[in-house]
Amino acid sequence: MPSQIKDMSVTDLVRLFKENAVTASDCAHLCIDVQKIYDNLSTATHIADKINPVFNQLGICNYLIFQAYEVNENGLPFGSSAFNQVRPFPGDKIVRKTRSSAVGGSNIDTLLKENNSRLVAITGFAFGQCVKQTAEDIQKGQYGYHTVIFTDGVNRDPSHYSLQDEMAKKGIVFTSSQNFFEALQKIETCRSKPLLPVQPDPRI
């Protein structure tokens, strides 16, 4: 059965941003489980490599989160010489987690508070486990972030529709990355900083 929750429209997102006085500088992006072992399992994280440059242009910090109980001297999981297609940009922060949820198993809450973030956009793998647990934890009163999941940035399938409905009842917003960026452009504080065409990749 299809989810009863539709992507939040640009108009409703603009209203959400304005009602909560959220600007681009209040936002952060969490990309969950970017370790190379999932490269062939998840098509969802691949979109992050396309939208991360847009976050960068808006001054929004990307946090690339990988799960590892042990890491090598470079801080990467053993057996992983690189990330999957979500490769870090200059300024991106790399965060290690040791549990399914990125909140309880890492220092992400401290990093978000240091950056004065109030709204967290989430992409990554896997929707029914690590994405769900991170989104629900970060939405709770203990942390209190506005939480948005990009429906084009997670690996949903029909078996996840009931989970999506449950999460929406907890206040988690679902929308597309395109709607999110269009809404940011429409709020007053972003009009002076319009989105530009994606610039040449500085990592090449």
Side-chain angles (χ1 to χ4, degrees):
M1 180 179 178
S3 171
Q4 301 301 307
I5 306 301
K6 305 298 183 183
D7 284 358
M8 183 172 281
S9 68
V10 173
T11 300
D12 287 340
L13 282 168
V14 169
R15 184 180 302 113
L16 173 70
F17 293 155
K18 288 185 175 180
E19 287 177 352
N20 294 282
V22 170
T23 68
S25 62
D26 299 313
C27 300
H29 170 222
L30 272 58
C31 187
I32 308 297
D33 281 357
V34 297
Q35 56 267 37
K36 194 172 181 62
I37 190 173
Y38 291 143
D39 204 23
N40 295 324
L41 299 177
S42 173
T43 57
T45 52
H46 298 178
I47 191 176
D49 207 46
K50 298 179 176 62
I51 64 177
N52 281 5
V54 186
F55 279 113
N56 273 271
Q57 290 175 46
L58 286 169
I60 297 174
C61 188
N62 297 302
Y63 297 89
L64 307 184
I65 299 174
F66 67 85
Q67 182 158 342
Y69 298 97
E70 297 182 79
V71 294
N72 61 25
E73 65 275 8
N74 297 316
L76 293 173
F78 279 113
S80 174
S81 60
F83 292 95
N84 58 20
Q85 291 192 29
V86 187
R87 300 161 298 156
F89 276 84
D92 288 354
K93 298 186 185 302
I94 301 169
V95 180
R96 171 194 176 198
K97 71 182 177 74
T98 57
R99 292 163 51 183
S100 294
S101 171
V103 182
S106 76
N107 64 336
I108 189 63
D109 181 50
T110 299
L111 294 173
L112 291 171
K113 284 182 168 57
E114 288 176 350
N115 201 43
N116 296 315
S117 301
R118 297 193 298 116
L119 183 147
V120 176
I122 296 177
T123 60
F125 181 83
F127 179 79
Q129 187 173 359
C130 296
V131 169
K132 176 179 181 292
Q133 291 183 26
T134 298
E136 290 182 342
D137 284 351
I138 214 163
Q139 177 79 8
K140 289 178 182 176
Q142 177 183 356
Y143 300 101
Y145 298 97
H146 300 290
T147 307
V148 177
I149 291 179
F150 288 172
T151 51
D152 54 344
V154 292
N155 62 318
R156 293 180 309 160
D157 61 48
S159 68
H160 293 138
Y161 289 153
S162 61
L163 290 179
Q164 179 173 331
D165 294 342
E166 292 174 12
M167 294 164 71
K169 291 177 182 177
K170 297 177 181 179
I172 296 168
V173 171
F174 289 84
T175 194
S176 67
S177 57
Q178 180 178 348
N179 284 359
F180 184 86
F181 290 130
E182 285 187 21
L184 278 182
Q185 289 184 89
K186 288 180 179 294
I187 61 176
E188 186 66 31
T189 52
C190 289
R191 287 178 183 165
S192 61
K193 196 173 185 180
L195 292 183
L196 304 172
V198 174
Q199 301 299 308
D201 193 332
R203 302 162 299 180
I204 298 175

